[in-house]
Amino acid sequence: MPESGTTLYVCTTCRREGDDPEGPRAGARLHAELARQAEDREGAGLRIEPVECLSVCKRPCTVAVASPGRWTYVYGDLDPEAAATTILDGLKSYDGTPDGIVPWRERPKEFRTCVIARIPPFPPIPEAAE
Amino acid sequence: MPESGTTLYVCTTCRREGDDPEGPRAGARLHAELARQAEDREGAGLRIEPVECLSVCKRPCTVAVASPGRWTYVYGDLDPEAAATTILDGLKSYDGTPDGIVPWRERPKEFRTCVIARIPPFPPIPEAAE
């Protein structure tokens, strides 16, 4: 599979109730789990970037996905232990679309209910010359 | 002033309580007011794009700002009648930064309290070769 050019940003500052104050934060745990699982998936070509804050502090954990020519999506309310598989499955569907818009029925449940925001492809795709 | 390369996306689908069901929606009104005021500001070089939905439906009105090499910000809870001036002032500060991060004290109040999310510069800026 070719490089998808997709970047997954993971907020590593996100805390969750019940986090061990001595241990890594929920966001950092989610990032570690995503990195571990992505290694096991051959040829995903996904770039996973830790980010200090995505400013969605009231709905941890939080990730954002961006890709050239595709809509950017921000997701919140993600479970640091359980969400990694769902996120990577969802990104596979995302990479399978030309514009990043996965048909509603094909989206994992978390990707339906946990959307924080979406932003059009940037930079804007130049329109075909007439 | 050179073109800033900044795009302001305005959700024109956003409704607000009290909107006249026969009239334009709150988001469409905000878009019209932004376009009108931007015309009066010489050389702002800002591109203002109406968007059908930014998926921040619970916190209307909503806009997103993106610029090459700068963080993308999404804002919500914006008043369709009063927010246009503040948004354009805030974008002037944004354009004055190298990375889109305006120092906290210099941000308009709405830009402090109404952040829905922020996303790192995309595509990622290549690191300087060592």
Side-chain angles (χ1 to χ4, degrees):
Chain A
M1 191 187 290
E3 287 269 327
S4 71
T6 296
T7 300
L8 177 67
Y9 297 103
V10 186
C11 177
T12 54
T13 313
C14 278
R15 294 173 194 269
R16 275 213 154 189
E17 264 189 47
D19 273 5
D20 174 0
E22 306 292 319
R25 293 183 181 202
R29 298 203 305 278
L30 176 60
H31 175 258
E33 182 61 17
L34 282 162
R36 191 187 68 72
Q37 290 195 24
E39 282 238 323
D40 294 341
R41 296 194 183 206
E42 269 185 42
L46 178 68
R47 186 181 164 117
I48 300 181
E49 292 284 323
V51 179
E52 276 204 9
C53 183
L54 292 169
S55 290
V56 194
C57 312
K58 288 182 185 162
R59 295 179 63 180
C61 294
T62 312
V63 303
V65 56
S67 190
R70 295 194 177 98
W71 285 71
T72 292
Y73 280 84
V74 184
Y75 297 100
D77 303 324
L78 298 167
D79 184 279
E81 270 65 53
T85 304
T86 310
I87 293 167
L88 293 175
D89 288 346
L91 290 191
K92 198 174 164 190
S93 303
Y94 175 87
D95 275 341
T97 68
D99 55 6
I101 300 177
V102 178
W104 187 257
R105 285 171 177 272
E106 293 171 28
R107 296 183 198 184
K109 181 173 153 280
E110 287 81 353
F111 277 28
R112 291 187 210 169
T113 57
C114 303
V115 177
I116 302 292
R118 63 173 200 161
I119 301 119
F122 187 83
I125 303 162
E127 287 174 33
E130 291 184 35
Chain B
M1 191 187 288
E3 286 270 324
S4 72
T6 296
T7 300
L8 176 68
Y9 298 104
V10 185
C11 177
T12 54
T13 313
C14 277
R15 293 175 193 270
R16 275 210 155 191
E17 265 188 46
D19 273 4
D20 173 1
E22 305 294 319
R25 293 184 181 201
R29 298 203 305 277
L30 176 60
H31 175 258
E33 182 61 17
L34 282 162
R36 192 187 67 73
Q37 290 196 24
E39 282 238 325
D40 293 341
R41 298 196 182 203
E42 268 185 41
L46 177 68
R47 187 182 164 116
I48 301 182
E49 293 283 324
V51 179
E52 274 205 9
C53 184
L54 293 169
S55 290
V56 193
C57 311
K58 288 182 185 163
R59 295 179 65 180
C61 295
T62 313
V63 302
V65 55
S67 191
R70 294 195 177 98
W71 285 70
T72 291
Y73 281 83
V74 184
Y75 298 101
D77 302 325
L78 298 167
D79 183 279
E81 270 65 52
T85 305
T86 310
I87 293 167
L88 293 175
D89 287 346
L91 291 191
K92 198 174 164 190
S93 303
Y94 175 86
D95 275 341
T97 67
D99 54 8
I101 301 177
V102 178
W104 186 258
R105 285 171 176 271
E106 294 171 27
R107 296 182 198 183
K109 180 174 153 281
E110 287 81 354
F111 277 28
R112 292 186 207 167
T113 58
C114 303
V115 177
I116 302 292
R118 63 173 201 162
I119 302 117
F122 186 84
I125 302 162
E127 289 174 30
E130 294 185 35

